Amino acid sequence: MSIGGIFVISNNIKELIGTSIRMVPMEAEHKAELVAILIYPQIWEYTWRKITSAAQAEGLIDTALANQAKGTELPFVMIEQSTGRIAGTSRIMHIDHIHRNAEIGCTWISPEFWRTAVNTEAKSLLLQYCFESLGFIRVNFTIVGDNLRSQQAIERIGAVREGVLRKHRITAEGSILDTVLYSIIDDEWPAVQANLHYLLHVKYAEH
């Protein structure tokens, strides 16, 4: 059954259906294809993590699956509609049902799908799920301070920059990084949704 692009599949977990992608709950069978994506060094250039081996990438997937089993995270895999290929992954994390908020993060996309509609549509589907199905009133995004491209991308969809968490992360190499905090609240969701619809169905259609 479909409700506003959200399909019920099992155990109260949803498959999210878009135009260019669908997002399915992460499963162990996705690991090999995801690892092949996550070892691209370009993905980690502006993050506090640095994944340099298949073993490290497997560890990220194992952690996501373990947290999914505990009910503390909802990791999804982005699948290209036309080919069935995995384009990347993203998740709903830091879930707080009492205060009805969460974070959308750990968004890692194959460079092959950069500068396409994939990331924008993934954000649209996850935000719709958070606000319209889970009943959240706030969704957070955190971005490394020097990752200006990602900051511009999240501002473009309508997220509000709230501030900077100074000296928030330390990389494996010892670099100290700030984190920029963004949010979208439920009052803003209708306008954000309209903007996302424009970006996906008008802006990208021009290219």
Side-chain angles (χ1 to χ4, degrees), residues 41-115:
Q42 303 99 304
I43 292 175
W44 311 105
E45 184 177 2
Y46 294 107
T47 70
W48 60 270
R49 289 184 180 87
K50 298 301 173 191
I51 300 302
T52 59
S53 69
Q56 290 175 316
E58 288 176 3
L60 291 181
I61 304 306
D62 290 340
T63 298
L65 290 170
N67 290 338
Q68 180 190 61
K70 292 186 292 186
T72 58
E73 293 184 350
L74 296 175
F76 289 88
V77 173
M78 308 166 191
I79 299 178
E80 187 179 34
Q81 293 277 41
S82 60
T83 65
R85 295 182 303 164
I86 291 178
T89 179
S90 189
R91 71 186 74 168
I92 302 170
M93 51 199 266
H94 302 153
I95 298 170
D96 185 341
H97 288 292
I98 293 175
H99 299 290
R100 295 166 57 194
N101 65 75
E103 179 176 343
I104 292 175
C106 293
T107 301
W108 305 313
I109 299 173
S110 168
E112 184 180 353
F113 292 91
W114 290 3
R115 291 174 292 279

Side-chain angles (χ1 to χ4, degrees), residues 142-145 163-169 177-181:
T142 55
I143 301 173
V144 169
V164 178
L165 306 176
R166 299 177 299 166
K167 294 190 174 182
H168 185 231
R169 300 284 192 185
L177 303 174
D178 295 341
T179 297
V180 183
L181 175 64

Side-chain angles (χ1 to χ4, degrees), residues 20-204:
S20 61
I21 61 168
R22 59 191 176 95
M23 301 188 70
V24 303
M26 185 185 290
E27 296 182 8
E29 66 187 40
H30 298 132
K31 182 188 287 189
E33 197 169 348
L34 283 172
V35 167
I37 290 170
L38 295 179
I39 58 175
Y40 279 106
Q42 303 99 304
I43 292 175
W44 311 105
E45 184 177 2
Y46 294 107
T47 70
W48 60 270
R49 289 184 180 87
K50 298 301 173 191
I51 300 302
T52 59
S53 69
Q56 290 175 316
E58 288 176 3
L60 291 181
I61 304 306
D62 290 340
T63 298
L65 290 170
N67 290 338
Q68 180 190 61
K70 292 186 292 186
T72 58
E73 293 184 350
L74 296 175
F76 289 88
V77 173
M78 308 166 191
I79 299 178
E80 187 179 34
Q81 293 277 41
S82 60
T83 65
R85 295 182 303 164
I86 291 178
T89 179
S90 189
R91 71 186 74 168
I92 302 170
M93 51 199 266
H94 302 153
I95 298 170
D96 185 341
H97 288 292
I98 293 175
H99 299 290
R100 295 166 57 194
N101 65 75
E103 179 176 343
I104 292 175
C106 293
T107 301
W108 305 313
I109 299 173
S110 168
E112 184 180 353
F113 292 91
W114 290 3
R115 291 174 292 279
T116 71
V118 166
N119 188 35
T120 302
E121 187 160 50
K123 293 290 190 296
S124 178
L125 292 169
L126 290 174
L127 284 166
Q128 181 184 4
Y129 184 35
C130 285
F131 287 119
E132 299 182 15
S133 291
L134 298 178
F136 291 158
I137 60 174
R138 173 187 170 93
V139 176
N140 301 318
F141 303 87
T142 55
I143 301 173
V144 169
D146 58 0
N147 189 348
L148 299 181
R149 183 181 64 189
S150 291
Q151 291 174 45
Q152 291 166 355
I154 202 67
E155 289 171 6
R156 185 174 62 126
I157 70 172
V160 174
R161 178 180 172 129
E162 294 190 331
V164 178
L165 306 176
R166 299 177 299 166
K167 294 190 174 182
H168 185 231
R169 300 284 192 185
I170 302 177
T171 69
E173 295 82 12
S175 299
I176 300 174
L177 303 174
D178 295 341
T179 297
V180 183
L181 175 64
Y182 289 88
S183 73
I184 297 170
I185 59 175
D186 56 344
D187 305 303
E188 298 160 347
W189 169 234
V192 170
Q193 186 176 38
N195 183 45
L196 285 163
H197 184 273
Y198 167 77
L199 292 173
L200 289 167
H201 298 286
V202 178
K203 198 69 175 176
Y204 279 108

